[in-house]
């Protein structure tokens, strides 16, 4: 009966994970998984004949208070750090479960498989713990974000790995618990050393990988105490975390190996640096699709790049797809967008964009504060806030579309290079701006198809 | 057959046979005799005809088994044709009674291109459609050139220019082509026709349909509109007045075969338009849809320019001639045998309906009636 | 069948479910999904509960206590933080309501 | 300020101030005095001016603090203006030396719209661009109306009509607009410009770029093209000959500020074109890009129609005037104080560069040189 | 060890099934699953200590010969029938495994769960068997395709179900093997009676559902003989088959309940009847996408319907998507397509279709025999073969586009109604024609997005 | 854990894999996929082999023989027929080669 109840909570995890993968179901997915977890805890408390109620309830209470407090207090921008810490604690918990087993039973006359499970659980759990805290430190700025490398680094790490394996074998054969603690220590060290050479911008990938590890650690702990729910939950997270890690590296156009061992990573990930060395937020077609798809009002600002990419048809297509979802779409046409008077009109008329959707500067500008998302397609000078803010700018005084008054700004262009006026655009580095680097036509086509799956 | 191609009268820039179609005719074992300079005004040089296999001549008429023309020729052309020969072209038989008499007198078999039934099968001979295509296209170009405004919308550093509002009245072949051309140029286009089924066709070109009276029974079996009662006409004008008043350009194309064009835009409606507005009356050859229209002239009435061109297809002479010649050759296929000799099969609906005179008699029943002749026997 | 074989079978099947369950996820969901999965990996808490609840030696009890506490932080914090991240995906209607 | 708007000379259908812009000026505390009928030819009635707050008068000149014109006025206009007043418009100072002298004599401060620097900041005053937009648009309409062919491709029961091949030479503001308009009409468009960066702009309108010599250094710092050597010109003509020969329509717009337009299409090149082809030479006002062009006339050379219109923007008078008036008002903003009184700041680059005469002296250095006056002191 | 080898073949099934779901991997998926099956058989033969080698090898040989012969001989058009038979045999095999157990052990002192497993396996296996053969008979035309209904049908079927349950309980409690055989017989009967009221056109859905059943039967057999590979394989197919069944009913815009119990089904599915009561082949956006996506040359034939739907932009989009895949796309423009001369040219020029891709009648017609797929968008009269073949037709003699000379023809229009000429079009009933009933614009948009997932 | 519980756990997990493994399948693949899945359900053959191979009574042996034979038809025929159905999905290149 207990086993079946555990199975039910495993099912909750599966369903929850699945729903977490799509924007519309993600919230409910998380809650379903949480309910499954609560059930698993209750089942355990009821069925396992707990003796040390004080310890158990104390631990639960302390953990719940700490976890809840941290989760509710953390800033939105520090979420990844928080996840790293939680993940590290989960990892160490698995290692501690194994350690308790060692403390209680020693390593004497233990079946090989149990011994392997114990060492795997400890190894992975400890790596997860120290690695996650390293990631936290890098993200939080406690450690420098740049990769920390030194000669012989890879050799040293390899030696640690060999050491762990050797000690583990010795400890098992010699039935020597001290060996266990050495392995635990070396594993903690390995976690630290492994994350050192990875750049701060790649930390989300590292955390995701360590998240997969913490699942594996839990599964290993499951083998140790012969508990199917642990194996199932652990394997689930191990596999899902791995897939997710690959998807993250893919979205960065990197390979996992490259992230872990290439010894760079200041670029890529959530941040990239421009010619002015300031970081910008990069977005993919999926990001653009989600941001646009959940907006109520969208303003499209076309520029010369739209003409170069001949993206007029794709633009109308995206607008139609958004309108079908109930979003209000307008176009803000700057008087000098493009390279000839009426350039944008020619293109949009060709794509059959209704005249009523076109707003000129005077009509569009008051709209921006009420606009959820502005989508800038290959425009640059005409949305450059320096014309408004920077008296030293060559275009100071030119009327611009004040897109930075809207909620979020997505800029589609191929690079950070400048437009006709040849000057840098502070808009790209704005906090509310997402840069989608691509040819406008391709970007739009990708966004349209991404929109269909959200 | 010996096919003769005379020069058209002054005022007609098209030509009945082009060098390209000469090629085809020669392939079909005809010989083609073209009057010097016949194609010049349509953009075809004599040398091109020669290259295509035609003979140039100063008088193609007397020797020809078949004479191909665009518009109705002066009666003397018919007089100089060989007795028993064939004449094909737009003959305007209702207006040109004297021509028809001469044709009958000289036992000429005359086929009027405009009398070819507009059935699915005869589409490739449908010169009314092909020339209306040219007319509708050019009418909009004339309007655009005459309008002191931009057709498309432009948002520029010098302000936003709204698109021109263009209204097409009568959306047959010419009207639809006018809609398409105006839409291409970026105008904001509305259109109206009395036949209700045209609404879908107007919308299929991206234009708005103007809600004004439609007549379920307006479409006769032929697909043409019928003449409407004075009452209906008044209601039409009432409903259209507001739309016309706010239009910058109006292109009218409404016609009723065999009757004068319906009056859709009255003098007051013209006076309700903004100065600088333009009306192009494609129906001018049959009297015009606008009360102010003077066929063949451009008048300015209280600041509104009203054009009533009579030669619209001729202003696209090169391509209009190409299409016309194609139609003509397609019809020739119906009246010639394999070896190129004439073979008239009056059981063929297309041949019999297109025939105006044959063997000394006026054969076309409606023309007979118009000329006051009795029923054919 | 031994427990080990059962364990392996269950592990392999569950891993497949894990692989399949994550189809192409939009990048904006990467972090919340990671965070949610991380909370689920806190299932190790049931191992921790057993260890702490049944531990006989003081050391085992201390380790067990730590295990329960850390696992609970992971579970409680993980689910809560994920929920907060997912605020933005509330449906159009929910948000409209929230705005009013 | 008292702003005077005289009627333009015959041949100029635009007007410097429109009723809509009158509204704005009145808002800015100016009073506007419009000569009776000044807007008529552009489609603006006197009543509209009155509604917008203007005063009608038979002679707006003597009382005006500022006179707004489109084209260079006859010298007597300057003579009848109040001493010390301001004149703004296209003044064509290089050609109209007598006007400039009179302006200087009467201590009139004259600003030439064409001398406003074409910087990013001055885009809203850039009347050259706005009027070139109208010219490029209308040039294509003229070409389309004059061509005996359909611009778009048509596949019909009367045969397939290929699209017209249209070539644009010189793709500045007017050329790009010509490309866009021709593309809208369905022509198959190619284009060429000597400045290499224009290639991308041409392609951004869906037209093909013609490979002919480009000049990396052609674009002066101003963005204008420079005059090229005879050698380059010959090479240009050689490379263009084949493209021109197979084009049905050529629209030329190449200009070099302050110099005669470059010769791009020689007489032989015209003779290499098919009869019925059309050339519209938008550069006619500065001499034309085609050897056959006679500015202000339409000539037919061996079957090729060559048009050299001088009044292209005036053929879109309504919208061209609207844009011009906007440009003018935008410039006025630079030379008036909050309360509407004149406030000339010659440290402002735009004001100083646009100024031709001030305080009895010719201030513009290039004009001085052209008039044989010494360096300004 | 054996268990792990079995696990490996189960993994082969999983991977195989997954790959079967996408056109590009389907073939390899099938082969991977087949290899897994072969492995499972070999493992069984080697590890189970087979005694009756003659029987075993005889059965294997006979089955292989029969199955192979049938599979290789069957006509492409009779595939669904063949699958029905195979499926039925698979179902009965599971029932026979349970029966053998009963014959060997009786029902004496059997644990409840084993007894339940035996009855479930027999019940489902027998239903699958008789139901599948009924489906075969309906598809093959041995039985009439129309639903066979009679008053009280549902009541009778309910009684059979109650009878099965009652007898099974009695047999288990009374430890009476005869009861087993009664259950088996009633189950066979239930399969027959259940399929009777379902129409021939719905048979593919029935087969898919019975396929899911045969998986469940195998899983039940697995519980009987306590074999994990059977449970895994059976559960896999049971679940996958169920999902597939739902997808099939969804593609038909029906619910499963409606298919099974509504007592109709002559329409829908693969066939629908037109005004002339002749059947046409229906296609969905996915079918169109696959047919187009795997073609080398595609000819698009636009007609008036394209104009009505204003589908010109969507058309170009589809053409571009196909060209990206390496397909050659042209447009065949009939001289009188649409309602005015040059109607199609206006629209396609607006959508920026390159002039070079447009072929007129004379250019296009010779191309059709070399064209893989013709896509007809709202054209009707201009592709009506009566104009060529039927001297009594009102349009006899009009030149048409001979699209029926191409490999496959997809017709997109909203219904079977006629065009301008008001006459029926035999093309729609042609064997090589797929009718995609939809508004042209919507159809194209759906096809474009379907194209992305194949 | 009893065999039953193990069986149920395995069954549930395998069923989840089955559900997840079938994402949106294009209708043209419905029949081949059904056919392939059907061949996999022939896994019952290993039960049949055991039954036939170990059956003691003649009746059991006959039933076992039938079970093996029918299951084999299902397996062999099923995979072969699926492969034939999938001919059309050979890649462009394969087909080009085949055409030559
Ligand atoms: N309208 C007129 O009459 C006229 C005439 C002359 C000059 N101008 C001037 O032109 C400028 C117009 O402003 P704008 O904002 O429209 O254009 P812009 O400032 O010139 O910027 C265009 C941007 O488009 C991007 N781009 C180019 N090709 C692209 C592609 N294929 N896909 C995506 N992005 C692409 C470029 O960035 P990447 O290279 O990073 O992609 C570039 O920064 C103004 O400075 C105006 O003064 C206007
Ligand atoms: N080109 C000309 O100059 C001209 C002039 C006059 C007449 N015609 C005649 O018009 C006909 C033209 O032939 P055609 O093949 O182009 O057209 P058609 O034969 O008239 O057929 C058009 C088809 O499009 C379908 N349709 C309508 N709306 C649709 C939508 N929104 N989405 C998808 N399909 C839609 C209709 O079927 P559903 O209702 O089932 O959707 C209809 O059968 C010829 O008979 C020709 O003689 C031509
Ligand atoms: N069978 C064929 O394949 C074929 C071939 C060519 C044309 N046609 C059809 O024949 C019809 C007529 O063509 P047309 O262009 O030569 O006609 P037309 O030139 O005689 O008339 C032009 C249009 O004016 C409209 N009209 C007449 N009186 C009107 C009124 N009082 N108010 C408003 N509109 C009025 C008519 O309905 C017609 O659409 C069209 O529908 C065309 O599609 C069919
Ligand atoms: N800063 C701004 O925002 C702004 C405003 C308006 C115009 N401009 C730019 O100024 C430039 C000139 O504009 P314009 O249209 O008034 O120029 P223009 O009328 O002086 O000349 C028209 C075109 O002819 C070309 N040309 C000159 N000699 C040629 C030759 N021998 N062969 C071929 N082509 C030749 C020029 O390159 C130019 O493109 C354009 O690039 C325009 O974009 C910039």
């Amino acid at each position: 009966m207990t086993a079946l109840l555990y199975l039910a909570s495993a099912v909750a995890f599966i369903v929850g994970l699945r729903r977490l993968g799509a924007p519309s179901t993600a919230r409910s997915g998380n809650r379903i998984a949480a309910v499954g977890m609560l059930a698993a805890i209750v089942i355990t408390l009821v069925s396992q004949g707990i003796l040390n109620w004080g310890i158990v309830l104390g631990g639960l209470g302390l953990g719940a208070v700490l976890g809840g407090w941290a989760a509710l207090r953390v800033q939105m921008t520090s979420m990844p750090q928080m996840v790293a810490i939680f993940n590290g604690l989960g990892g160490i918990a698995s290692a501690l479960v194994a350690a308790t087993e060692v403390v209680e039973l020693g390593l004497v006359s233990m079946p090989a498989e149990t011994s392997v499970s114990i060492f795997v659980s400890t190894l992975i759990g400890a790596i997860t713990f120290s690695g996650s805290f390293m990631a936290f430190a890098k993200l939080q700025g406690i450690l420098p974000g740049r990769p920390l490398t030194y000669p012989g680094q890879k050799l040293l790490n390899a030696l640690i790995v060999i050491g762990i394996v050797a000690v583990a074998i010795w400890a098992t054969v010699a039935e020597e618990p001290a060996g266990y603690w050495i392995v635990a220590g070396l594993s903690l060290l390995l976690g630290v050393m492994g994350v050192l050479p990875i750049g701060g911008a790649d930390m989300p990938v590292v955390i995701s990988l360590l998240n997969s590890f913490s699942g594996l650690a839990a599964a290993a702990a499951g083998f140790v105490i012969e508990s199917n729910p642990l194996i199932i939950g652990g394997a689930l997270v191990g596999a899902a975390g791995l897939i997710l890690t690959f998807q993250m590296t893919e979205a960065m156009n990197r390979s996992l190996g490259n992230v872990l061992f290439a010894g760079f990573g200041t670029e890529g990930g959530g941040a990239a640096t421009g010619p002015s060395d300031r970081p910008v937020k990069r977005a993919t077609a999926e990001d653009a699709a989600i941001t646009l798809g959940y907006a109520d009002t969208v303003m499209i600002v076309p520029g010369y790049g739209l003409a170069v990419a001949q993206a007029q048809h794709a633009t109308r297509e995206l607008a139609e797809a958004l309108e079908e979802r109930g979003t209000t779409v307008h176009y803000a046409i700057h008087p000098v967008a493009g390279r000839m008077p009426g350039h944008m009109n020619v293109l949009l008329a060709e794509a059959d964009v209704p005249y009523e959707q076109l707003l000129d500067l005077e009509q569009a500008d008051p709209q921006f504060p009420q606009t959820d998302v502005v989508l800038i397609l290959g425009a640059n000078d005409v949305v450059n806030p320096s014309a408004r803010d920077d008296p030293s700018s060559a275009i100071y005084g030119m009327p611009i579309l004040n897109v930075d008054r809207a909620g979020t700004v997505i800029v589609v262009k191929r690079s950070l290079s400048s437009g006709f006026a040849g000057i840098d655009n502070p808009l790209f580095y704005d906090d509310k701006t997402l840069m989608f680097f691509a040819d406008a036509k391709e970007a739009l086509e990708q966004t349209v198809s991404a929109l269909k799956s959200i | 057959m010996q096919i003769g191609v005379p020069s058209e009268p002054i005022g007609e820039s098209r030509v009945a046979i082009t060098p390209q179609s000469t090629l085809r005719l020669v392939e079909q074992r005809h010989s083609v005799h073209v009057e010097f300079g016949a194609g010049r005004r349509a953009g075809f040089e004599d040398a091109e005809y020669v290259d295509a296999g035609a003979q140039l001549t100063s008088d193609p008429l007397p020797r020809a088994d078949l004479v191909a023309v665009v518009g109705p020729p002066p009666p003397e052309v018919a007089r100089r044709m060989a007795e028993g020969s064939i004449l094909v072209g737009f003959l305007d038989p209702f207006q040109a009674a004297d021509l028809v008499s001469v044709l009958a007198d000289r036992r000429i078999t005359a086929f009027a291109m405009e009398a070819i039934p507009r059935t699915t099968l005869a589409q490739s001979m449908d010169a009314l459609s092909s020339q209306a295509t040219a007319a509708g296209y050019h009418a909009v170009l004339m309007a655009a050139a005459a309008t002191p405004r931009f057709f498309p919308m432009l948002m520029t550093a010098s302000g936003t220019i709204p698109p021109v509002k263009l209204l097409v009245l009568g959306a047959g072949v010419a009207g639809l082509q006018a809609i398409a051309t105006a839409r291409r140029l970026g105008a904001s286009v509305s259109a109206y026709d009395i036949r209700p089924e045209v609404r879908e066709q107007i919308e299929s070109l991206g234009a708005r349909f103007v809600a004004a009276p439609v007549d379920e029974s307006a479409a006769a079996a032929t697909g043409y509109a019928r003449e409407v009662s004075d009452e209906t006409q008044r209601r039409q004008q009432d409903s259209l007045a507001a739309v016309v008043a706010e239009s910058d350009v109006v292109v009218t194309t409404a016609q009723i075969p065999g009757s004068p064009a319906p009056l859709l835009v009255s003098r007051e409606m013209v006076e309700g338009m903004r100065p600088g507005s333009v009306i192009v009356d494609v129906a001018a050859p049959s009297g015009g849809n606008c009360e102010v229209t003077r066929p063949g002239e451009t008048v300015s009435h209280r600041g509104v320019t009203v054009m009533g061109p009579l030669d619209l297809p001729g202003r696209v002479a090169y391509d209009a001639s190409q299409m016309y010649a194609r139609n003509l050759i397609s019809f020739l296929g119906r009246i010639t045998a394999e070896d190129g000799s004439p073979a008239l099969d009056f059981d063929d609906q297309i041949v019999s309906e297109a025939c105006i005179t044959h063997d000394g008699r006026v054969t076309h029943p409606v023309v007979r009636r118009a000329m006051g002749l009795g029923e054919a026997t | 069948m031994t427990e080990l074989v059962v364990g392996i079978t269950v592990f392999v099947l569950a891993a497949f479910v894990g692989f399949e369950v994550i189809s192409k996820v939009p990048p904006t969901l990467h972090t919340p999904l990671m965070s949610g999965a991380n909370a689920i990996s806190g299932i190790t808490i049931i191992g921790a509960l057993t260890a702490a609840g049944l531990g006989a030696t003081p050391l085992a009890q201390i380790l067990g206590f730590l295990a329960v506490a850390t696992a609970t932080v992971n579970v409680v914090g993980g689910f809560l933080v994920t929920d907060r991240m997912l605020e933005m995906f509330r449906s159009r209607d929910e948000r409209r309501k929230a705005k009013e």
Side-chain angles (χ1 to χ4, degrees), chain A residues 333 335-336 341 345 352 355 359-360, chain B residues 153-157 160 163 183 186:
Chain A
I333 313 290
V336 300
N345 294 109
D352 242 355
Y355 281 147
L359 307 181
D360 63 18
Chain B
M153 180 188 229
L154 291 178
M155 289 163 152
T156 76
T160 295
R183 286 259 309 148

Side-chain angles (χ1 to χ4, degrees), chain B residues 3-340:
Chain B
I3 298 178
V5 184
S7 289
E8 295 289 324
I10 309 293
E12 177 55 71
S13 44
R14 289 168 292 176
V15 61
I17 297 293
T18 62
Q20 284 88 332
S21 47
T22 301
L23 262 179
R24 289 229 181 180
L25 289 172
V26 171
E27 263 169 32
Q28 290 165 16
R29 316 216 197 142
H30 300 294
S31 56
V32 181
H33 304 272
V34 179
E35 187 170 336
F36 286 110
R40 176 76 48 79
R41 266 168 295 157
F44 303 104
E45 296 292 295
D46 285 350
E48 294 179 69
Y49 282 102
V50 174
D51 289 349
Q55 272 96 51
L56 294 178
T57 156
S58 55
D59 186 4
L61 298 176
R63 284 182 293 172
D65 300 320
L66 184 148
V67 173
V69 296
V70 179
E76 53 274 26
V77 165
R79 287 204 192 91
R80 296 194 23 257
M81 282 173 63
E83 206 149 310
S85 63
I86 303 174
L87 175 67
V88 186
F90 282 124
L91 301 183
D92 204 0
F94 299 106
Q95 314 295 324
D98 44 351
L99 171 65
V100 174
S101 316
V102 175
L103 290 170
D105 282 357
R106 295 196 49 84
R107 311 182 66 80
I108 289 172
T109 307
F111 293 104
M113 291 299 283
E114 63 265 58
I116 293 176
R118 295 176 86 175
T119 59
T120 299
L121 262 188
Q123 278 174 323
S124 59
M125 315 163 197
D126 186 352
L128 280 178
S129 279
S130 68
Q131 303 308 299
T133 301
Y137 166 75
H138 203 272
V140 170
L141 288 184
M142 279 183 78
T147 307
R149 295 181 165 231
F150 280 100
F151 264 38
M153 180 188 229
L154 291 178
M155 289 163 152
T156 76
S158 314
T160 295
I161 293 162
V164 134
K165 290 208 189 72
L166 186 144
L167 175 67
V168 175
L169 297 177
V173 176
L176 289 174
Q177 195 67 46
I179 293 171
T181 308
R183 286 259 309 148
R184 283 186 193 263
L185 273 172
S188 169
V189 183
S190 325
Y192 163 72
D193 196 291
I194 196 166
R195 290 178 299 134
E197 70 266 33
V198 179
R199 178 188 189 133
E200 190 189 53
Q201 299 174 11
I202 288 169
E203 287 169 351
S204 86
L205 286 164
R208 260 185 310 280
F209 181 74
V210 171
V214 292
D215 182 352
E216 291 297 335
S217 63
T222 54
Y224 288 117
R226 300 181 317 175
E227 220 165 336
V228 296
S229 65
D230 287 356
E231 162 63 13
T232 310
Q233 179 161 319
R234 209 186 41 71
R235 279 198 300 129
Q236 271 189 333
Q237 292 181 2
D238 287 352
S239 333
L240 291 175
V243 198
V244 168
E246 63 180 32
S247 297
D248 302 304
V249 180
V250 177
V251 176
T252 64
T253 75
Q255 273 173 297
I256 297 157
S259 313
L263 188 69
L264 297 175
V265 183
S266 66
R267 184 174 301 271
E268 300 90 78
M269 284 161 84
V270 175
E271 287 163 6
M273 294 175 79
R274 269 186 297 269
S277 302
V278 173
I279 297 176
V280 180
D281 194 339
V282 180
S286 52
N289 297 134
C290 172
E291 200 174 345
V292 177
T293 301
R294 271 189 250 138
E297 291 178 38
T298 295
V299 297
S300 177
H301 184 75
R302 306 240 182 132
V304 178
T305 307
V306 182
M307 306 198 238
L310 296 174
D311 60 343
L312 273 174
R315 296 180 182 218
V316 202
Y318 184 94
D319 283 330
S321 302
Q322 294 281 31
M323 295 201 288
Y324 182 78
R326 280 266 217 159
N327 298 141
L328 214 143
I329 290 184
S330 181
F331 179 69
L332 285 195
R334 285 265 159 182
I335 57 168
T336 42
E338 281 281 296
D339 63 355

